[in-house]
Amino acid sequence: MSDSHHTPEAAPRPPAGPSAPSASPASSASSASSATYGASARHVRAKGEPRFPDGPKADPAGSHFERRIRSFQPRRSRVTTGQADALQRLWSQWGLDIDGQRVVDLAELFGNARPVVLEIGFGMGEATAEMAAADPDTNVLAVDVHTPGQGNLLGLADRNGLSNIRVGNGDAIILLREMLTPGSLAGLRVYFPDPWPKKRHHKRRLIQPEFLTLAATRLAPGAVVHCATDWEPYAEQMLDVLTAHPDFENAVPGGGFAPRPDHRPLTRFEGQGLEKGHVVNDLLFRRVQHHDGHREQPPTG
């Protein structure tokens, strides 16, 4: 998760939800309103004043849920004027604060009943936007906690008319466990998550048996989990954990890693890594159908 999960777009490393969107992208703010907001964005905020009054909350889940070992580490970086403008204008329409307080109706969230893919950790969102543009019949719920990336992806969606993107703010574990219904997802994407390279931090890695068990309850039979990483030890762990999990089967004949699918863009960061000799591994695993009611409920705690 970019939260600062290491993402290709970056260097290494609701109770109230959005209203049902219209079919057309959000209209751009007038130059006058943009200028007004630009001026207000420069003022010194009082203590406790929200950074973006009409944008994502700083901690949407608050203290409602137990403090667990997090697989992500929030990053702080500057929000540009354009990103701030997108957050202010578009969050109420295309944003989702992950507060864990209600179950999300995905058809209502997107305004249609098309299949939904969850993407955890999207960095600055360029690859997410490119995939959404190439497959307009698939809705993408992209989750991150990196505020500049949230604003950047909203801006990309707006400028390119990508009404099949929604941006989630918060912990994807809470989203999966508390806010999504069984079998509601058509796919899961985890691209370049934080590798947590130190051995004592391996427990923080996202792709673990417990996470896969939870994700399996929200994935429809046949849904594909697509992971990618440029950290080879983590790639090996991903392969081992996914291969051993009873709810998933390798979509690659004979097993092992998958060639990079055409639908996953080669990002600028990834290309630079490849030029330096980095090895990027993709994994494609399919949610298997169980006929005995196996694991129909998510784990608790």
Side-chain angles (χ1 to χ4, degrees):
M1 310 156 93
S2 115
D3 318 330
S4 155
H5 288 261
H6 161 55
T7 54
E9 293 80 15
R13 25 192 145 81
S19 58
S22 61
S24 60
S27 59
S28 299
S30 67
S31 58
S33 63
S34 296
T36 300
Y37 176 71
S40 64
R42 290 189 292 273
H43 89 287
V44 178
R45 286 181 291 122
K47 184 177 181 180
E49 181 183 350
R51 189 179 185 188
F52 303 101
D54 299 318
K57 293 181 174 62
D59 185 11
S63 59
H64 299 301
F65 301 95
E66 79 289 345
R67 290 295 176 187
R68 61 179 180 81
I69 296 174
R70 294 290 176 87
S71 61
F72 59 88
Q73 179 175 322
R75 288 177 289 140
R76 298 289 177 260
S77 55
R78 180 177 175 271
V79 177
T80 68
T81 301
Q83 292 161 1
D85 174 70
L87 288 167
Q88 285 290 106
R89 290 189 298 108
L90 302 169
W91 188 258
S92 63
Q93 183 179 5
W94 285 348
L96 173 69
D97 277 311
I98 300 170
D99 60 8
Q101 298 299 296
R102 71 179 182 96
V103 174
V104 176
D105 183 329
L106 292 176
E108 179 182 354
L109 179 67
F110 285 92
N112 58 65
R114 293 169 184 157
V116 178
V117 169
L118 174 64
E119 181 173 349
I120 300 177
F122 56 79
M124 296 306 290
E126 287 97 340
T128 304
E130 187 173 337
M131 288 186 289
D135 186 9
D137 291 328
T138 296
N139 294 325
V140 180
L141 176 53
V143 175
D144 211 313
V145 297
H146 187 223
T147 310
Q150 293 168 349
N152 200 61
L153 180 54
L154 286 170
L156 288 169
D158 186 33
R159 291 191 296 274
N160 294 289
L162 304 177
S163 59
N164 59 332
I165 291 177
R166 299 292 178 270
V167 179
N169 169 50
D171 191 335
I173 300 294
I174 292 176
L175 174 68
L176 284 164
R177 192 180 65 203
E178 309 291 342
M179 300 178 69
L180 296 180
T181 57
S184 57
L185 296 174
L188 173 64
R189 297 169 182 165
V190 184
Y191 298 153
F192 302 90
D194 193 322
W196 294 102
K198 295 181 180 179
K199 187 173 182 179
R200 69 176 183 271
H201 292 156
H202 286 184
K203 60 188 175 183
R204 295 182 177 273
R205 289 175 171 175
L206 180 64
I207 305 302
Q208 307 274 6
E210 297 80 7
F211 170 76
L212 294 174
T213 297
L214 171 60
T217 66
R218 300 319 188 216
L219 291 164
V224 171
V225 174
H226 183 189
C227 302
T229 180
D230 61 346
W231 193 261
E232 290 187 81
Y234 193 12
E236 294 289 349
Q237 177 189 322
M238 288 181 179
L239 182 60
D240 290 343
V241 171
L242 279 159
T243 300
H245 202 286
D247 290 335
F248 297 96
E249 63 181 7
N250 200 322
V252 176
F257 296 112
R260 180 180 63 85
D262 291 338
H263 65 260
R264 185 177 73 75
L266 181 67
T267 66
R268 180 175 61 254
F269 175 85
E270 185 179 357
Q272 292 171 348
L274 291 172
E275 290 176 359
K276 295 175 183 177
H278 295 183
V279 176
V280 175
N281 286 298
D282 284 75
L283 301 95
L284 295 171
F285 277 75
R286 188 178 296 108
R287 172 68 161 99
V288 299
Q289 174 73 68
H290 291 289
H291 300 287
D292 56 358
H294 180 64
R295 284 197 178 92
E296 289 304 318
Q297 297 299 321
T300 59

